[in-house]
Each structure stands twice: as structure tokens, then as C-alpha cells.
DNA sequence: ACTCTCTTGCAAATGATTTCCATTATCATT
DNA sequence: AATGATAATGGAAATCATTTGCAAGAGAGT
């Protein structure tokens, strides 16, 4: 089996670091791998715990520092959903918004082309250009 | 001129406290008056400073406590825009979302019936019922 | 291997908000 | 108006998430 670099894989995160002239350390590699598998939206502590299993020397500070640097490089996204601490996810291009299940805490992703368009329109009418936006729905399963 | 109770005035906030069996203290009255004039979205410190001009005995703790209690009663809304501390505004029924001017920090209110509808649809399709949501646009003036 | 400098872990610092607690004030009742 | 039960207050200390200072350690180009 060939060594393939899947999109959204860990190697593109490493590439971002490399291109920014940043060093690829053991702890960064571990953190990047966790982010790369994706799927969920872990907070710093969850990331720290998972990373610790791979490399017991990792510190929470390093997790925070790495998140900051990756965010600045645009490699990850930071979300601060209501209530809790910041949560992170690999930014692999395709933008989406979130629906948070108030009972389970689950985060469901969605994307509405129409809403995206309408946002642009609204901003334009108000004389603005959108730099970023945040749309979060908080709800419960319908019985 | 008759003593009129305008909608969104200070007296309805007082009424909410009264109906909840809460006491109307000098400091709460001052804070409520500031919220009632509305217009902007002050954070706790701004609220504290403005209130202090009216009543020098007010403490920041009281501002926070009052915001918490009013939020629980649904009398005000708490917003945590990116970056800064929580900001508050009188919840006078009419829901709206916000556009934040990244340069000036100004907060512009807007409301899109279409977006509100689309959100409901999305949630329904995902099997959810929306309890609350948050839509924030961050942008700059178009030149 | 050498060296320059970026990173790290740990502890201490921060900033926002909450909580503790002794004192004060509200307000229903007398 | 005085009383009393108890909610609210100010100030300090505690909490929580996150950042920062610093000395020691580790990338990576040579
Ligand atoms: Mn996501
Ligand atoms: Mn508003
Ligand atoms: Zn979106
Ligand atoms: Zn809305």
C-alpha cells in the first residue's frame, strides 16, 4: 500500500508549520495527528488528555500555544460555543456552521448556501464586507 | 406631561424583578435605568462605570449579579462577541442579530426573516428544535 | 557534532466572572 | 413608624480558561 497523503491528513498541517518556518516537534506532531483525524470538536483539555496518551511529556500550555499558532496560520478554527471553553477543529477549507445539542453536547455540522448568501446581502446593504461570521443553533432533539 | 410608561422603559424591568419576588434596591434601579435607555451593548465594566456616576456605592459584583438574575428572568440578553467580555442589552422582545464592525467595535443590529426561517428548516431537517441561536457577522465598512 | 534560536514544561500571572461572608437594607407585617 | 425575616450588597478571595516568564531542552541547517 502506497503512502498516500489524504486531504485533511496530518501532513498538510505539518506542511503549514514547515512553510511558516516553525519547528515540528514531537508534541506538535501528536497534537496535529489528533486534529487531523477530525470528527469532533475537542477543547484544550480533551486535546491534552488524548495527546498525553501518545506522549506523556506534553503539557497543557503547549496545547494552548499550538492552538494559537495554528489558528494564526489559519490551519484550525477555534469555536467558543455558549457556556464552555474554546473548542478546536481542523480547518480543511469547507466552511460550515454548527448546531449544538443542548442535552448531549453533541455538535452537528451543517451548511446552508442560502444563509451564506443572505448574510452577504445583509452586510452589503449595511455597507459592510464580511470578514467572518458565526452561526450557532442550540437545540434539542424533536420527539 | 403625564408620567408615561414607555415600552422598553425602566419600569418593566422593575416589574420583572418585583414579580419574581426580588427586591428593588437603589443599585438595581440605577442599573436597570441604564439598560432601559438602551441603544448600545455595554459590558459589565461599562455598566459599572455609568452606574457609579449615579450611585458611587455600586460594586462590580452587584453589576454581575444583577446581570445574572436579569438574564435568568429573561429580562436581558447576554452576548459574548469574539474577543471581548460579555455585553448586555435590554431584551424587549424583538429578536435581532448583530454585525460587529471590526475597526470601530460598533455593533449594528439587523434582522432577517428569511434567515430565521432557514434556521428553523435546517434544524427540523436534522431532527432538532431550536431553543436559541446566535448569528454574528464580523466585518469592515466597504470603501 | 555545532550552534542558533525556537519550543517546552512548570509556575506564576491574567482577565473575566463568580462566590463567600459579614454587614446592610428591603419590605411585608405589626 | 418600628420590627423582623431574609434578600442584597461590597469587598475580598476563589474559580476557570488562557497566557506568559523563564530556564532548560530540542529542531534543523551547517
Ligand atoms: Mn465543525
Ligand atoms: Mn442588540
Ligand atoms: Zn456559515
Ligand atoms: Zn436571529
Amino acid at each position: 500500500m502506497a503512502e498516500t497523503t489524504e486531504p485533511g491528513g496530518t501532513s498538510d498541517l505539518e506542511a503549514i508549520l514547515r512553510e511558516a518556518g516553525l519547528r515540528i516537534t514531537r508534541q506538535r506532531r501528536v497534537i496535529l495527528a489528533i486534529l487531523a483525524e477530525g470528527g469532533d470538536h475537542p477543547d484544550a483539555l480533551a486535546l491534552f488528555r488524548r495527546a498525553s496518551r501518545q506522549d506523556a511529556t506534553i503539557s497543557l500550555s503547549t496545547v494552548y500555544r499550538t492552538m494559537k499558532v495554528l489558528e494564526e496560520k489559519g490551519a484550525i478554527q477555534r469555536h467558543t460555543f455558549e457556556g464552555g471553553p474554546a473548542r478546536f477543529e481542523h480547518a480543511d477549507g469547507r466552511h460550515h456552521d454548527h448546531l449544538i445539542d443542548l442535552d448531549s453536547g453533541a455538535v452537528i455540522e451543517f451548511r446552508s448556501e442560502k444563509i451564506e448568501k443572505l448574510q452577504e446581502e445583509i452586510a452589503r446593504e449595511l455597507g459592510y464586507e464580511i470578514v467572518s461570521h458565526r452561526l450557532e443553533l442550540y437545540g434539542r432533539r424533536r420527539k
PDB file of all heavy atoms in Angstrom, chain C residues 7-18:
ATOM      1  P    DT C   7       8.781  27.616  16.966  1.00  0.00           P
ATOM      2  OP1  DT C   7       8.069  27.251  15.731  1.00  0.00           O
ATOM      3  OP2  DT C   7       8.363  28.796  17.762  1.00  0.00           O
ATOM      4  O5'  DT C   7       8.761  26.330  17.894  1.00  0.00           O
ATOM      5  C5'  DT C   7       9.769  26.169  18.854  1.00  0.00           C
ATOM      6  C4'  DT C   7       9.494  24.952  19.672  1.00  0.00           C
ATOM      7  O4'  DT C   7      10.474  24.960  20.706  1.00  0.00           O
ATOM      8  C3'  DT C   7       8.139  24.959  20.365  1.00  0.00           C
ATOM      9  O3'  DT C   7       7.671  23.614  20.496  1.00  0.00           O
ATOM     10  C2'  DT C   7       8.436  25.629  21.690  1.00  0.00           C
ATOM     11  C1'  DT C   7       9.889  25.235  21.957  1.00  0.00           C
ATOM     12  N1   DT C   7      10.699  26.312  22.611  1.00  0.00           N
ATOM     13  C2   DT C   7      11.489  25.951  23.686  1.00  0.00           C
ATOM     14  O2   DT C   7      11.558  24.821  24.121  1.00  0.00           O
ATOM     15  N3   DT C   7      12.206  26.982  24.230  1.00  0.00           N
ATOM     16  C4   DT C   7      12.213  28.295  23.828  1.00  0.00           C
ATOM     17  O4   DT C   7      12.926  29.129  24.405  1.00  0.00           O
ATOM     18  C5   DT C   7      11.357  28.604  22.694  1.00  0.00           C
ATOM     19  C7   DT C   7      11.282  30.006  22.184  1.00  0.00           C
ATOM     20  C6   DT C   7      10.647  27.600  22.157  1.00  0.00           C
ATOM     21  P    DT C   8       6.368  23.312  21.347  1.00  0.00           P
ATOM     22  OP1  DT C   8       5.785  22.059  20.821  1.00  0.00           O
ATOM     23  OP2  DT C   8       5.569  24.531  21.427  1.00  0.00           O
ATOM     24  O5'  DT C   8       6.985  22.988  22.780  1.00  0.00           O
ATOM     25  C5'  DT C   8       7.888  21.885  22.899  1.00  0.00           C
ATOM     26  C4'  DT C   8       8.310  21.702  24.338  1.00  0.00           C
ATOM     27  O4'  DT C   8       9.163  22.811  24.730  1.00  0.00           O
ATOM     28  C3'  DT C   8       7.140  21.691  25.312  1.00  0.00           C
ATOM     29  O3'  DT C   8       7.129  20.476  26.052  1.00  0.00           O
ATOM     30  C2'  DT C   8       7.381  22.868  26.245  1.00  0.00           C
ATOM     31  C1'  DT C   8       8.832  23.229  26.027  1.00  0.00           C
ATOM     32  N1   DT C   8       9.066  24.687  26.048  1.00  0.00           N
ATOM     33  C2   DT C   8       9.990  25.209  26.916  1.00  0.00           C
ATOM     34  O2   DT C   8      10.628  24.524  27.693  1.00  0.00           O
ATOM     35  N3   DT C   8      10.144  26.564  26.844  1.00  0.00           N
ATOM     36  C4   DT C   8       9.480  27.442  26.002  1.00  0.00           C
ATOM     37  O4   DT C   8       9.716  28.643  26.023  1.00  0.00           O
ATOM     38  C5   DT C   8       8.507  26.833  25.126  1.00  0.00           C
ATOM     39  C7   DT C   8       7.710  27.670  24.184  1.00  0.00           C
ATOM     40  C6   DT C   8       8.348  25.510  25.191  1.00  0.00           C
ATOM     41  P    DG C   9       5.825  20.074  26.782  1.00  0.00           P
ATOM     42  OP1  DG C   9       5.612  18.619  26.570  1.00  0.00           O
ATOM     43  OP2  DG C   9       4.744  21.026  26.443  1.00  0.00           O
ATOM     44  O5'  DG C   9       6.243  20.325  28.292  1.00  0.00           O
ATOM     45  C5'  DG C   9       7.354  19.638  28.846  1.00  0.00           C
ATOM     46  C4'  DG C   9       7.643  20.180  30.232  1.00  0.00           C
ATOM     47  O4'  DG C   9       8.060  21.565  30.121  1.00  0.00           O
ATOM     48  C3'  DG C   9       6.438  20.179  31.178  1.00  0.00           C
ATOM     49  O3'  DG C   9       6.885  19.758  32.462  1.00  0.00           O
ATOM     50  C2'  DG C   9       5.955  21.626  31.170  1.00  0.00           C
ATOM     51  C1'  DG C   9       7.236  22.401  30.915  1.00  0.00           C
ATOM     52  N9   DG C   9       7.051  23.633  30.148  1.00  0.00           N
ATOM     53  C8   DG C   9       6.218  23.846  29.091  1.00  0.00           C
ATOM     54  N7   DG C   9       6.296  25.040  28.573  1.00  0.00           N
ATOM     55  C5   DG C   9       7.265  25.666  29.342  1.00  0.00           C
ATOM     56  C6   DG C   9       7.790  26.992  29.258  1.00  0.00           C
ATOM     57  O6   DG C   9       7.505  27.883  28.459  1.00  0.00           O
ATOM     58  N1   DG C   9       8.746  27.232  30.234  1.00  0.00           N
ATOM     59  C2   DG C   9       9.153  26.314  31.175  1.00  0.00           C
ATOM     60  N2   DG C   9      10.078  26.732  32.025  1.00  0.00           N
ATOM     61  N3   DG C   9       8.682  25.070  31.265  1.00  0.00           N
ATOM     62  C4   DG C   9       7.733  24.822  30.319  1.00  0.00           C
ATOM     63  P    DC C  10       5.872  19.336  33.561  1.00  0.00           P
ATOM     64  OP1  DC C  10       6.419  18.160  34.280  1.00  0.00           O
ATOM     65  OP2  DC C  10       4.511  19.290  32.965  1.00  0.00           O
ATOM     66  O5'  DC C  10       5.974  20.588  34.541  1.00  0.00           O
ATOM     67  C5'  DC C  10       7.277  21.064  34.926  1.00  0.00           C
ATOM     68  C4'  DC C  10       7.148  22.412  35.612  1.00  0.00           C
ATOM     69  O4'  DC C  10       7.136  23.476  34.616  1.00  0.00           O
ATOM     70  C3'  DC C  10       5.862  22.577  36.438  1.00  0.00           C
ATOM     71  O3'  DC C  10       6.225  22.886  37.764  1.00  0.00           O
ATOM     72  C2'  DC C  10       5.096  23.699  35.742  1.00  0.00           C
ATOM     73  C1'  DC C  10       6.207  24.457  35.014  1.00  0.00           C
ATOM     74  N1   DC C  10       5.757  25.176  33.799  1.00  0.00           N
ATOM     75  C2   DC C  10       6.354  26.405  33.500  1.00  0.00           C
ATOM     76  O2   DC C  10       7.229  26.843  34.257  1.00  0.00           O
ATOM     77  N3   DC C  10       5.956  27.083  32.395  1.00  0.00           N
ATOM     78  C4   DC C  10       5.010  26.570  31.603  1.00  0.00           C
ATOM     79  N4   DC C  10       4.656  27.274  30.527  1.00  0.00           N
ATOM     80  C5   DC C  10       4.383  25.312  31.893  1.00  0.00           C
ATOM     81  C6   DC C  10       4.785  24.659  32.981  1.00  0.00           C
ATOM     82  P    DA C  11       5.078  23.220  38.856  1.00  0.00           P
ATOM     83  OP1  DA C  11       5.469  22.543  40.109  1.00  0.00           O
ATOM     84  OP2  DA C  11       3.748  22.973  38.263  1.00  0.00           O
ATOM     85  O5'  DA C  11       5.279  24.797  39.039  1.00  0.00           O
ATOM     86  C5'  DA C  11       6.582  25.374  38.839  1.00  0.00           C
ATOM     87  C4'  DA C  11       6.446  26.876  38.897  1.00  0.00           C
ATOM     88  O4'  DA C  11       6.030  27.381  37.598  1.00  0.00           O
ATOM     89  C3'  DA C  11       5.385  27.352  39.887  1.00  0.00           C
ATOM     90  O3'  DA C  11       5.835  28.523  40.549  1.00  0.00           O
ATOM     91  C2'  DA C  11       4.163  27.595  39.015  1.00  0.00           C
ATOM     92  C1'  DA C  11       4.788  28.050  37.701  1.00  0.00           C
ATOM     93  N9   DA C  11       3.993  27.700  36.526  1.00  0.00           N
ATOM     94  C8   DA C  11       3.232  26.563  36.322  1.00  0.00           C
ATOM     95  N7   DA C  11       2.624  26.533  35.157  1.00  0.00           N
ATOM     96  C5   DA C  11       3.016  27.725  34.555  1.00  0.00           C
ATOM     97  C6   DA C  11       2.710  28.293  33.307  1.00  0.00           C
ATOM     98  N6   DA C  11       1.926  27.706  32.402  1.00  0.00           N
ATOM     99  N1   DA C  11       3.255  29.488  33.003  1.00  0.00           N
ATOM    100  C2   DA C  11       4.051  30.082  33.908  1.00  0.00           C
ATOM    101  N3   DA C  11       4.425  29.641  35.125  1.00  0.00           N
ATOM    102  C4   DA C  11       3.850  28.452  35.381  1.00  0.00           C
ATOM    103  P    DA C  12       4.887  29.239  41.650  1.00  0.00           P
ATOM    104  OP1  DA C  12       5.733  29.464  42.845  1.00  0.00           O
ATOM    105  OP2  DA C  12       3.594  28.510  41.752  1.00  0.00           O
ATOM    106  O5'  DA C  12       4.600  30.652  40.964  1.00  0.00           O
ATOM    107  C5'  DA C  12       5.661  31.315  40.281  1.00  0.00           C
ATOM    108  C4'  DA C  12       5.060  32.420  39.432  1.00  0.00           C
ATOM    109  O4'  DA C  12       4.407  31.845  38.274  1.00  0.00           O
ATOM    110  C3'  DA C  12       3.993  33.233  40.170  1.00  0.00           C
ATOM    111  O3'  DA C  12       4.186  34.610  39.884  1.00  0.00           O
ATOM    112  C2'  DA C  12       2.679  32.688  39.602  1.00  0.00           C
ATOM    113  C1'  DA C  12       3.085  32.345  38.172  1.00  0.00           C
ATOM    114  N9   DA C  12       2.246  31.329  37.515  1.00  0.00           N
ATOM    115  C8   DA C  12       1.775  30.144  38.039  1.00  0.00           C
ATOM    116  N7   DA C  12       1.046  29.444  37.205  1.00  0.00           N
ATOM    117  C5   DA C  12       1.030  30.221  36.052  1.00  0.00           C
ATOM    118  C6   DA C  12       0.418  30.030  34.793  1.00  0.00           C
ATOM    119  N6   DA C  12      -0.302  28.967  34.476  1.00  0.00           N
ATOM    120  N1   DA C  12       0.602  31.001  33.865  1.00  0.00           N
ATOM    121  C2   DA C  12       1.340  32.067  34.183  1.00  0.00           C
ATOM    122  N3   DA C  12       1.965  32.356  35.327  1.00  0.00           N
ATOM    123  C4   DA C  12       1.766  31.381  36.230  1.00  0.00           C
ATOM    124  P    DA C  13       3.063  35.695  40.187  1.00  0.00           P
ATOM    125  OP1  DA C  13       3.740  36.957  40.557  1.00  0.00           O
ATOM    126  OP2  DA C  13       2.058  35.055  41.069  1.00  0.00           O
ATOM    127  O5'  DA C  13       2.391  35.932  38.770  1.00  0.00           O
ATOM    128  C5'  DA C  13       3.204  36.430  37.705  1.00  0.00           C
ATOM    129  C4'  DA C  13       2.310  36.875  36.574  1.00  0.00           C
ATOM    130  O4'  DA C  13       1.615  35.738  36.041  1.00  0.00           O
ATOM    131  C3'  DA C  13       1.241  37.898  36.979  1.00  0.00           C
ATOM    132  O3'  DA C  13       1.167  38.870  35.952  1.00  0.00           O
ATOM    133  C2'  DA C  13      -0.023  37.049  37.102  1.00  0.00           C
ATOM    134  C1'  DA C  13       0.207  35.966  36.057  1.00  0.00           C
ATOM    135  N9   DA C  13      -0.439  34.669  36.315  1.00  0.00           N
ATOM    136  C8   DA C  13      -0.417  33.928  37.463  1.00  0.00           C
ATOM    137  N7   DA C  13      -1.075  32.781  37.385  1.00  0.00           N
ATOM    138  C5   DA C  13      -1.549  32.771  36.086  1.00  0.00           C
ATOM    139  C6   DA C  13      -2.319  31.827  35.370  1.00  0.00           C
ATOM    140  N6   DA C  13      -2.754  30.675  35.888  1.00  0.00           N
ATOM    141  N1   DA C  13      -2.630  32.125  34.089  1.00  0.00           N
ATOM    142  C2   DA C  13      -2.194  33.286  33.559  1.00  0.00           C
ATOM    143  N3   DA C  13      -1.462  34.244  34.139  1.00  0.00           N
ATOM    144  C4   DA C  13      -1.169  33.924  35.405  1.00  0.00           C
ATOM    145  P    DT C  14       0.312  40.207  36.163  1.00  0.00           P
ATOM    146  OP1  DT C  14       1.065  41.316  35.600  1.00  0.00           O
ATOM    147  OP2  DT C  14      -0.172  40.214  37.566  1.00  0.00           O
ATOM    148  O5'  DT C  14      -0.954  39.974  35.231  1.00  0.00           O
ATOM    149  C5'  DT C  14      -1.067  38.788  34.554  1.00  0.00           C
ATOM    150  C4'  DT C  14      -2.140  38.807  33.522  1.00  0.00           C
ATOM    151  O4'  DT C  14      -2.682  37.463  33.538  1.00  0.00           O
ATOM    152  C3'  DT C  14      -3.302  39.756  33.765  1.00  0.00           C
ATOM    153  O3'  DT C  14      -3.680  40.311  32.514  1.00  0.00           O
ATOM    154  C2'  DT C  14      -4.398  38.855  34.373  1.00  0.00           C
ATOM    155  C1'  DT C  14      -4.073  37.480  33.810  1.00  0.00           C
ATOM    156  N1   DT C  14      -4.318  36.339  34.718  1.00  0.00           N
ATOM    157  C2   DT C  14      -4.993  35.247  34.207  1.00  0.00           C
ATOM    158  O2   DT C  14      -5.403  35.203  33.062  1.00  0.00           O
ATOM    159  N3   DT C  14      -5.154  34.209  35.080  1.00  0.00           N
ATOM    160  C4   DT C  14      -4.725  34.148  36.390  1.00  0.00           C
ATOM    161  O4   DT C  14      -4.931  33.141  37.057  1.00  0.00           O
ATOM    162  C5   DT C  14      -4.040  35.319  36.872  1.00  0.00           C
ATOM    163  C7   DT C  14      -3.552  35.356  38.282  1.00  0.00           C
ATOM    164  C6   DT C  14      -3.874  36.342  36.027  1.00  0.00           C
ATOM    165  P    DG C  15      -4.565  41.612  32.454  1.00  0.00           P
ATOM    166  OP1  DG C  15      -4.149  42.379  31.264  1.00  0.00           O
ATOM    167  OP2  DG C  15      -4.589  42.246  33.792  1.00  0.00           O
ATOM    168  O5'  DG C  15      -6.008  40.989  32.183  1.00  0.00           O
ATOM    169  C5'  DG C  15      -6.162  39.980  31.187  1.00  0.00           C
ATOM    170  C4'  DG C  15      -7.618  39.593  31.135  1.00  0.00           C
ATOM    171  O4'  DG C  15      -7.829  38.411  31.954  1.00  0.00           O
ATOM    172  C3'  DG C  15      -8.578  40.647  31.671  1.00  0.00           C
ATOM    173  O3'  DG C  15      -9.707  40.654  30.816  1.00  0.00           O
ATOM    174  C2'  DG C  15      -8.900  40.183  33.077  1.00  0.00           C
ATOM    175  C1'  DG C  15      -8.807  38.677  32.948  1.00  0.00           C
ATOM    176  N9   DG C  15      -8.388  37.977  34.150  1.00  0.00           N
ATOM    177  C8   DG C  15      -7.612  38.450  35.171  1.00  0.00           C
ATOM    178  N7   DG C  15      -7.402  37.568  36.112  1.00  0.00           N
ATOM    179  C5   DG C  15      -8.092  36.445  35.688  1.00  0.00           C
ATOM    180  C6   DG C  15      -8.236  35.166  36.278  1.00  0.00           C
ATOM    181  O6   DG C  15      -7.760  34.763  37.347  1.00  0.00           O
ATOM    182  N1   DG C  15      -9.015  34.322  35.514  1.00  0.00           N
ATOM    183  C2   DG C  15      -9.597  34.652  34.305  1.00  0.00           C
ATOM    184  N2   DG C  15     -10.317  33.719  33.698  1.00  0.00           N
ATOM    185  N3   DG C  15      -9.462  35.845  33.733  1.00  0.00           N
ATOM    186  C4   DG C  15      -8.705  36.687  34.472  1.00  0.00           C
ATOM    187  P    DA C  16     -10.937  41.604  31.164  1.00  0.00           P
ATOM    188  OP1  DA C  16     -11.293  42.281  29.905  1.00  0.00           O
ATOM    189  OP2  DA C  16     -10.695  42.382  32.395  1.00  0.00           O
ATOM    190  O5'  DA C  16     -12.081  40.542  31.498  1.00  0.00           O
ATOM    191  C5'  DA C  16     -12.331  39.498  30.561  1.00  0.00           C
ATOM    192  C4'  DA C  16     -13.282  38.511  31.180  1.00  0.00           C
ATOM    193  O4'  DA C  16     -12.629  37.856  32.283  1.00  0.00           O
ATOM    194  C3'  DA C  16     -14.558  39.143  31.745  1.00  0.00           C
ATOM    195  O3'  DA C  16     -15.669  38.399  31.253  1.00  0.00           O
ATOM    196  C2'  DA C  16     -14.392  39.029  33.257  1.00  0.00           C
ATOM    197  C1'  DA C  16     -13.485  37.820  33.400  1.00  0.00           C
ATOM    198  N9   DA C  16     -12.636  37.811  34.588  1.00  0.00           N
ATOM    199  C8   DA C  16     -11.883  38.832  35.099  1.00  0.00           C
ATOM    200  N7   DA C  16     -11.219  38.521  36.184  1.00  0.00           N
ATOM    201  C5   DA C  16     -11.554  37.195  36.403  1.00  0.00           C
ATOM    202  C6   DA C  16     -11.179  36.271  37.397  1.00  0.00           C
ATOM    203  N6   DA C  16     -10.343  36.564  38.402  1.00  0.00           N
ATOM    204  N1   DA C  16     -11.695  35.031  37.328  1.00  0.00           N
ATOM    205  C2   DA C  16     -12.522  34.733  36.315  1.00  0.00           C
ATOM    206  N3   DA C  16     -12.950  35.503  35.317  1.00  0.00           N
ATOM    207  C4   DA C  16     -12.419  36.748  35.426  1.00  0.00           C
ATOM    208  P    DT C  17     -17.153  38.890  31.601  1.00  0.00           P
ATOM    209  OP1  DT C  17     -17.998  38.378  30.519  1.00  0.00           O
ATOM    210  OP2  DT C  17     -17.180  40.318  31.973  1.00  0.00           O
ATOM    211  O5'  DT C  17     -17.480  38.020  32.903  1.00  0.00           O
ATOM    212  C5'  DT C  17     -17.359  36.602  32.787  1.00  0.00           C
ATOM    213  C4'  DT C  17     -17.477  35.951  34.141  1.00  0.00           C
ATOM    214  O4'  DT C  17     -16.348  36.299  34.975  1.00  0.00           O
ATOM    215  C3'  DT C  17     -18.717  36.343  34.939  1.00  0.00           C
ATOM    216  O3'  DT C  17     -19.502  35.164  35.072  1.00  0.00           O
ATOM    217  C2'  DT C  17     -18.174  36.843  36.273  1.00  0.00           C
ATOM    218  C1'  DT C  17     -16.780  36.262  36.313  1.00  0.00           C
ATOM    219  N1   DT C  17     -15.782  36.990  37.131  1.00  0.00           N
ATOM    220  C2   DT C  17     -15.130  36.297  38.130  1.00  0.00           C
ATOM    221  O2   DT C  17     -15.353  35.121  38.358  1.00  0.00           O
ATOM    222  N3   DT C  17     -14.230  37.028  38.856  1.00  0.00           N
ATOM    223  C4   DT C  17     -13.913  38.357  38.681  1.00  0.00           C
ATOM    224  O4   DT C  17     -13.079  38.908  39.405  1.00  0.00           O
ATOM    225  C5   DT C  17     -14.614  39.036  37.600  1.00  0.00           C
ATOM    226  C7   DT C  17     -14.342  40.481  37.326  1.00  0.00           C
ATOM    227  C6   DT C  17     -15.500  38.323  36.894  1.00  0.00           C
ATOM    228  P    DT C  18     -20.819  35.129  35.920  1.00  0.00           P
ATOM    229  OP1  DT C  18     -21.705  34.150  35.268  1.00  0.00           O
ATOM    230  OP2  DT C  18     -21.277  36.504  36.209  1.00  0.00           O
ATOM    231  O5'  DT C  18     -20.292  34.477  37.284  1.00  0.00           O
ATOM    232  C5'  DT C  18     -19.513  33.289  37.188  1.00  0.00           C
ATOM    233  C4'  DT C  18     -19.113  32.846  38.574  1.00  0.00           C
ATOM    234  O4'  DT C  18     -18.122  33.740  39.130  1.00  0.00           O
ATOM    235  C3'  DT C  18     -20.260  32.792  39.579  1.00  0.00           C
ATOM    236  O3'  DT C  18     -20.218  31.503  40.168  1.00  0.00           O
ATOM    237  C2'  DT C  18     -19.946  33.912  40.565  1.00  0.00           C
ATOM    238  C1'  DT C  18     -18.436  34.022  40.477  1.00  0.00           C
ATOM    239  N1   DT C  18     -17.837  35.346  40.748  1.00  0.00           N
ATOM    240  C2   DT C  18     -16.828  35.449  41.672  1.00  0.00           C
ATOM    241  O2   DT C  18     -16.426  34.515  42.322  1.00  0.00           O
ATOM    242  N3   DT C  18     -16.281  36.694  41.800  1.00  0.00           N
ATOM    243  C4   DT C  18     -16.639  37.832  41.118  1.00  0.00           C
ATOM    244  O4   DT C  18     -16.055  38.894  41.308  1.00  0.00           O
ATOM    245  C5   DT C  18     -17.729  37.672  40.178  1.00  0.00           C
ATOM    246  C7   DT C  18     -18.202  38.853  39.394  1.00  0.00           C
ATOM    247  C6   DT C  18     -18.264  36.454  40.040  1.00  0.00           C
TER     248       DT C  18
END
